[in-house]
Amino acid sequence: MPVDDVVLATQGDTAAFERVYRAHMPRIFNLARRMAGPDAAEELTQDVFVRAWQKLALFRGESSFATWLHRLAVNVIIERFRTLGTARERFLSDSEAVLDVAPAVRTKHLDLSMDLQVAIAQLPEGARTVFVLHDVEGYRHEEIGDILGVSPGTSKSQLHRARQTLRVLLNKKAVTGS
Amino acid sequence: MSEQRRFGESDHEPLNQDDILAQAIGQWRDELPSRDLWPGVSARLEARKAQRQVAFTLPQLAMAASLLIAVASGLTWMVARPPAAPGAGTQPVIQAYGAPEEAETGGQIVPANFADAQFNAAVSDLERILRDERGRLDPRTVLVIERNLKAIDAAIQEARMALNNDPANPYLNSHLADARRRKLDLLRTVTTLASVGGD
């Protein structure tokens, strides 16, 4: 995508903004799909680009546009969680039981990605968010802490919990094939 | 955030590639939406553009309110003073805002309805929205708006008092109707500004 399209979009050119949208939509859609699930991903993707249009003037070019947009998308998605009534206590709770860790099972499992999609939906939202941001999207704990308004230590414990739970669920699927 | 960074390269407990979780993430392929999402985005952008076009800047609002107050005060003074000569200028030319059409009233001037339920309900709704949204406006802006609204209310009150003595006066009725319409316009504009400004 030409860099000029972002500049033109900032000046109100919707045709240029459509090109920006086309270039970045797949990544944003998949971020939303992984963080919020497939049912909410399409609407959230639209929300992200509407918000991006409103905030374009704030983009100063200090990071790449893709990075700026990605961070904005994460914020929009987390806002949605909170708007939908996800209480902060629930979002960041450490009190939920962690399933016992099963020994790793090497398997010729055919579609782990589908299993992961199902397993991740069973995580509490806080753990799911930290897992996706850290292990899939590559954010650091300090960055996740900034985004969620928690300490890096909380992010680490959420990640630990998410990984343990996901391993249990994936291994269970691998063993039982169900 | 580094865009290229992926799992296993992070700063905390990198996943072992043999880990079933790492394998699952590696297989987690991207997908595309089931439909083109751009038309929905585009429609929302156009709606916001239109919303912005009807919004005024705060200095414009303040100036409009001040102008309204000046005009309202002048009109009140002109209308309330004693007539210059008997029989002069008695033909009504302006009908009260919101009054029935002339055909329905036999050409008689209908005094403005001071307890106009629709007007009160509309003002009440807009004032409630403004109260809810005021947190999204600069506190200094809120002060200016409230000061101007008070001044407009005072002008409306003056017109009402003058009409108590001369209920059929077409100029007073027109002036009151105009002031009320302008109050509604101002409230509508400010509430639009508040809802847009918080984005």
Side-chain angles (χ1 to χ4, degrees):
Chain A
M1 181 196 64
V3 173
D4 286 352
D5 279 342
V6 174
V7 176
L8 290 171
T10 306
Q11 294 162 359
D13 184 337
T14 47
F17 187 66
E18 181 178 358
R19 291 191 291 276
V20 172
Y21 162 84
R22 301 276 174 210
H24 293 275
M25 181 276 293
R27 185 156 184 248
I28 299 302
F29 173 74
N30 282 292
L31 172 70
R33 187 170 66 90
R34 285 167 177 144
M35 284 181 72
D39 292 343
E42 292 186 354
E43 190 183 341
L44 276 169
T45 302
Q46 291 180 320
D47 290 347
V48 168
F49 282 95
V50 171
R51 180 74 64 88
W53 171 259
Q54 294 166 336
K55 301 283 187 188
L56 267 177
L58 301 177
F59 173 60
R60 303 288 183 205
E62 291 159 354
S63 59
S64 78
F65 180 75
T67 301
W68 179 83
L69 182 65
H70 195 277
R71 180 67 176 261
L72 182 139
V74 169
N75 286 333
V76 168
I77 294 164
I78 289 170
E79 268 178 37
R80 170 66 67 86
F81 290 155
R82 289 177 174 154
T83 304
L84 289 177
T86 307
R88 185 179 172 80
E89 293 73 22
R90 157 101 174 119
F91 195 80
L92 299 170
S93 171
D94 279 325
S95 63
E96 291 175 51
V98 177
L99 300 175
D100 291 337
V101 181
V105 176
R106 296 300 305 275
T107 175
K108 292 180 181 176
H109 206 265
L110 293 178
D111 195 357
L112 276 174
S113 67
M114 280 300 293
D115 292 346
L116 182 59
Q117 184 80 58
V118 172
I120 205 171
Q122 297 178 45
L123 290 178
E125 272 170 6
R128 183 170 69 204
T129 299
V130 171
F131 171 75
V132 171
L133 290 180
H134 188 278
D135 278 357
V136 182
E137 300 295 334
Y139 280 78
R140 295 189 184 92
H141 286 296
E142 288 74 15
E143 294 169 322
I144 296 168
D146 282 347
I147 292 168
L148 298 179
V150 300
S151 69
T154 301
S155 176
K156 287 178 185 176
S157 67
Q158 291 276 358
L159 178 67
H160 180 69
R161 192 156 62 103
R163 283 176 173 179
Q164 278 191 312
T165 306
L166 289 172
R167 282 190 192 107
V168 169
L169 293 170
L170 289 172
N171 280 321
K172 200 166 148 188
K173 290 277 284 185
V175 169
T176 63
S178 59
Chain B
M1 183 208 49
S2 166
E3 287 169 51
Q4 302 305 320
R5 200 165 63 236
R6 283 306 203 204
F7 70 89
E9 301 173 10
S10 191
D11 54 337
H12 174 68
E13 298 179 35
L15 287 169
N16 187 317
Q17 294 299 315
D18 291 337
D19 190 326
I20 192 171
L21 198 48
Q23 294 172 33
I25 295 170
Q27 290 180 23
W28 207 5
R29 302 293 175 217
D30 284 354
E31 292 179 9
L32 287 174
S34 60
R35 60 194 167 94
D36 185 2
L37 303 179
W38 174 252
V41 174
S42 176
R44 288 167 66 182
L45 300 189
E46 291 304 318
R48 287 192 170 268
K49 272 185 173 178
Q51 198 178 20
R52 284 180 192 280
Q53 281 165 0
V54 300
F56 297 104
T57 63
L58 289 173
Q60 283 175 320
L61 281 174
M63 187 172 289
S66 301
L67 187 62
L68 170 65
I69 293 158
V71 171
S73 302
L75 280 173
T76 304
W77 176 80
M78 286 173 63
V79 172
R81 67 182 175 168
T90 55
Q91 185 64 33
V93 291
I94 305 171
Q95 207 167 4
Y97 172 73
E101 294 298 327
E102 189 170 330
E104 298 171 16
T105 59
Q108 297 302 306
I109 294 298
V110 177
N113 183 355
F114 294 168
D116 184 332
Q118 275 187 315
F119 170 79
N120 288 337
V123 166
S124 174
D125 283 347
L126 289 165
E127 286 177 339
R128 179 179 48 75
I129 293 168
L130 185 57
R131 272 198 305 277
D132 292 345
E133 301 284 344
R134 61 182 291 156
R136 305 175 78 173
L137 292 170
D138 187 310
R140 290 169 299 182
T141 303
V142 174
L143 278 179
V144 171
I145 291 165
E146 287 182 340
R147 197 162 57 229
N148 286 327
L149 282 172
K150 271 185 188 171
I152 294 172
D153 283 341
I156 290 173
Q157 187 60 25
E158 275 183 32
R160 284 176 171 171
M161 288 170 65
L163 276 166
N164 277 338
N165 298 324
D166 189 5
N169 187 306
Y171 298 105
L172 282 175
N173 275 290
S174 171
H175 166 58
L176 175 62
D178 192 47
R180 297 204 304 187
R181 181 178 57 77
R182 286 177 186 274
K183 180 175 180 178
L184 276 179
D185 287 346
L186 180 61
L187 280 169
R188 284 190 187 116
T189 306
V190 170
T191 50
T192 301
L193 187 72
S195 63
V196 172
D199 285 327

